[in-house]
Amino acid sequence: MKKLIIILSACITLFAGCSASINDIAVTNFNIISVTPRGTNELYATIELGIRNPVIAFTLQDMEGTLKVDGQPCIRITADQLMVDGQSDRVYVIPVKGKLIDGFNPWQLLSVLKDNDFSKFTVDVSARVSLKSGIGKDIAIKDVSLEKLLKKE
């Protein structure tokens, strides 16, 4: 009887550590590595995105975002798909492409950037998260402060 209790206790302890869910997926790092202007209304950038994924692998597709200054959309951002490894804590390097939104004054963007004050910037992001089986869900996150994303803790 004593052996049964010890075995049951060991099994409960073992399985309690394996109870990760999709709610445990977290962004651990966000960095802008480089920004390269292309002409007067396009740019290419490279970002680092750290993701802690304690569950199975998934793919981020149709990634789009909008960078806003004082609530006014200024740059539309797109990225190719990203395959996130399962049971991993990894930093992914993602190339992104941006285009100035028609009617936005690029000089306004430069005047904000010269002060290195990112508090005026927010980001809207959308993507499709899908599993290898093809099952997926569209997600959208609105008005995330760029200053908080870039803050190192």
Side-chain angles (χ1 to χ4, degrees):
M1 184 68 161
K2 194 173 190 179
K3 285 183 182 181
L4 180 63
I5 292 173
I6 292 172
I7 291 172
L8 284 175
S9 297
C11 288
I12 290 170
T13 304
L14 178 66
F15 290 124
C18 298
S19 63
S21 74
I22 59 169
N23 293 329
D24 296 328
I25 297 172
V27 173
T28 58
N29 183 30
F30 179 84
N31 255 339
I32 299 173
I33 302 301
S34 67
V35 178
T36 306
R38 298 288 167 126
T40 58
N41 66 347
E42 287 189 6
L43 61 89
Y44 290 94
T46 304
I47 62 170
E48 281 183 342
L49 183 65
I51 299 176
R52 181 178 303 120
N53 179 19
V55 294
I56 63 174
F58 61 89
T59 303
L60 290 171
Q61 301 169 308
D62 304 326
M63 292 186 286
E64 294 182 354
T66 302
L67 180 67
K68 299 188 241 178
V69 178
D70 291 326
Q72 179 185 5
C74 61
I75 300 175
R76 169 91 47 217
I77 302 164
T78 59
D80 292 331
Q81 77 176 13
L82 173 66
M83 298 180 78
V84 177
D85 298 332
Q87 292 89 29
S88 67
D89 190 354
R90 184 173 160 205
V91 175
Y92 298 88
V93 176
I94 306 168
V96 298
K97 193 181 337 181
K99 184 172 182 173
L100 282 178
I101 292 177
D102 291 337
F104 182 78
N105 181 356
W107 301 114
Q108 181 184 359
L109 183 63
L110 291 175
S111 68
V112 174
L113 287 175
K114 75 174 179 163
D115 299 329
N116 269 347
D117 180 18
F118 293 108
S119 65
K120 298 180 180 189
F121 290 92
T122 58
V123 181
D124 294 345
V125 180
S126 66
R128 177 157 183 83
V129 179
S130 59
L131 303 176
K132 287 184 180 180
S133 64
I135 297 172
K137 179 177 180 163
D138 294 331
I139 59 168
I141 303 168
K142 303 278 185 190
D143 294 322
V144 177
S145 167
L146 187 61
E147 183 177 48
K148 288 181 183 175
L149 276 176
L150 294 173
K151 187 180 276 187
K152 306 245 188 226
E153 295 183 23

